[in-house]
Structures are given as C-alpha cells and as structure tokens.
Amino acid sequence: AEAAAAEDAAGRDAAASAALRTTPATSGDYYRAVLYIRPDLRLLDDLAVAQLAGLGPREVLTPYWHQYSGLNDRVAAGTERVARVFGERQREAWAYAQWKFIRSESFLKWVMLNHSRFEPVALEMRAQRLRATGLVADNDVCLSWCSIDQRKFCRGDCRRIMPPELAPPRPKWAVLQQQHDIAKGKIPGPPGTKPPPRARRKKKEPP
C-alpha cells in the first residue's frame, strides 16, 4: 500500500512538473510560475509543485509560518508578473520608509498586497534555515512540529507546539513579538485574558 501511494504521489508530481514547463512562445507566457527560495533552507516537505502549477494570475504564494505581521519572504512564487514585483520590491523601499520602519515581512506584505493588490496564498511546505555551523536556526526548530492548522502559533510563540523538554528558551525578539500580537488580537493571550478592542484609526499609507 505504501509503495502504491508513493507511486501515485510520484505520478502527480510528474504531471504537475510537466504543467510547469515552458509553454509555446506564441502564447507570450514563457513560464507558468517563478519560484524564489533561499539557498540556505532545508525543506521539511516535498516541493509544493501542485500549488505552483495551480497558481492564479494574481496570486502570490508565501509560507504560512513565520509571517511576523506580514509575509514570509524566505520562499515565494507567482506568475511572471507577480514574481517581477517580488524581485524588484526594493524599488518601493524609499516610499515605504517615509511612512514606516522597514521590516522585511511587513514591507513585503505592503508591496504585494496593499500596493500591488495581489492575492495571498499559503504555501503548504515547511523549510528550516541552516546556519554556517550546519545547525538549524533556533527559531526554526519548532517548524518540525508545525502544520498549517497551527499557523497562528507560528508568529511569535511557536514553541507552544513543541515537546516541553525540547523547546529552547524564547529569545527577546520572540517575547516582544508575542506581546505585540496579543495586544493586536492576532493570537490568544494567557488563559482568562480578553482580546483587546479593535482599533478604528487607519494609518496613512504611502501612495
């Protein structure tokens, strides 16, 4: 049964890979999708080929984990048009910096969703950063236990899903991120706490 399942999966991947091959030049579309991925990532799941093949013309595919109030920029995929905006997003950095301090995740979200009006899609694939020592980055260890159903914990306290004896202490940045997200109502606070009221003021965005 396992061999048959593996053969079926291989067949689906082969079919999806064929769909990603270059299309005839007369169509004007040379690539179905373009994939950006950091070279220091170790994939924990198979490459999401079927998701790449099924991307819509205005969809941007980014990881569901470690979004940090924006979009994770370690992996991204989209059509040629979407990929071009992702790859050239530094062109918008000056305008964004006049309005807000640049953090890679929040800046990417603004460029892709707010400014360019692309549609976000959650990449159902996990990957961990490997440091020069060959060790996994501290705040990526938890991804071994993560799943798309637990993505709310992947913001600033994903150690909740780890076995207690394996969970490393949270660094200062993670503590601050958790406090920020609880205050914004993005993740639940400690038991007994009430979510804060929604703020009605809108920030002024750059053009």
Side-chain angles (χ1 to χ4, degrees):
E2 291 182 1
E7 186 176 347
D8 288 345
R12 289 195 300 271
D13 285 346
S17 296
L20 284 174
R21 291 175 187 161
T22 56
T23 53
T26 53
S27 71
D29 296 325
Y30 295 92
Y31 298 95
R32 181 70 57 84
V34 179
L35 173 69
Y36 286 90
I37 186 166
R38 282 176 52 148
D40 61 344
L41 291 181
R42 179 178 71 178
L43 302 187
L44 298 179
D45 304 301
D46 293 337
L47 189 64
V49 178
Q51 277 196 295
L52 293 175
L55 278 172
R58 298 193 58 79
E59 292 179 334
V60 55
L61 190 65
T62 59
Y64 67 84
W65 36 271
H66 292 187
Q67 294 180 354
Y68 304 130
S69 302
L71 292 178
N72 187 333
D73 61 352
R74 298 176 206 168
V75 185
T79 60
E80 187 178 353
R81 178 185 178 188
V82 173
R84 185 181 295 112
V85 174
F86 179 90
E88 297 179 350
R89 62 189 182 281
Q90 71 275 9
R91 295 175 181 270
E92 308 297 337
W94 176 253
Y96 185 84
Q98 307 309 303
W99 165 61
K100 194 173 184 180
F101 177 79
I102 292 183
R103 292 179 64 235
S104 60
E105 295 86 2
S106 55
F107 173 56
L108 178 61
K109 179 181 179 182
W110 178 79
V111 170
M112 304 305 290
L113 306 189
N114 301 82
H115 188 61
S116 301
R117 306 297 181 187
F118 293 137
E119 301 168 9
V121 177
L123 174 66
E124 297 178 16
M125 181 188 79
R126 300 163 301 154
Q128 295 171 318
R129 290 167 296 172
L130 292 179
R131 299 310 191 192
T133 59
L135 299 176
V136 174
D138 286 346
N139 52 319
D140 287 4
V141 173
C142 57
L143 291 172
S144 295
W145 290 271
C146 196
S147 70
I148 195 167
D149 295 331
Q150 297 168 315
R151 54 186 166 186
K152 284 191 174 181
F153 296 112
C154 293
R155 303 184 72 89
D157 193 19
C158 57
R159 285 160 177 76
R160 292 190 199 180
I161 62 177
M162 297 177 64
E165 67 275 10
L166 297 178
R170 287 187 297 131
K172 184 178 180 180
W173 70 264
V175 174
L176 294 175
Q177 180 70 45
Q178 182 191 25
Q179 293 172 350
H180 171 80
D181 286 345
I182 290 174
K184 294 265 187 173
K186 293 178 179 177
I187 61 173
T193 58
K194 295 182 179 180
R198 286 182 173 272
R200 294 190 176 181
R201 269 190 351 182
K202 278 191 174 181
K203 292 182 179 178
K204 185 178 179 183
E205 296 187 8

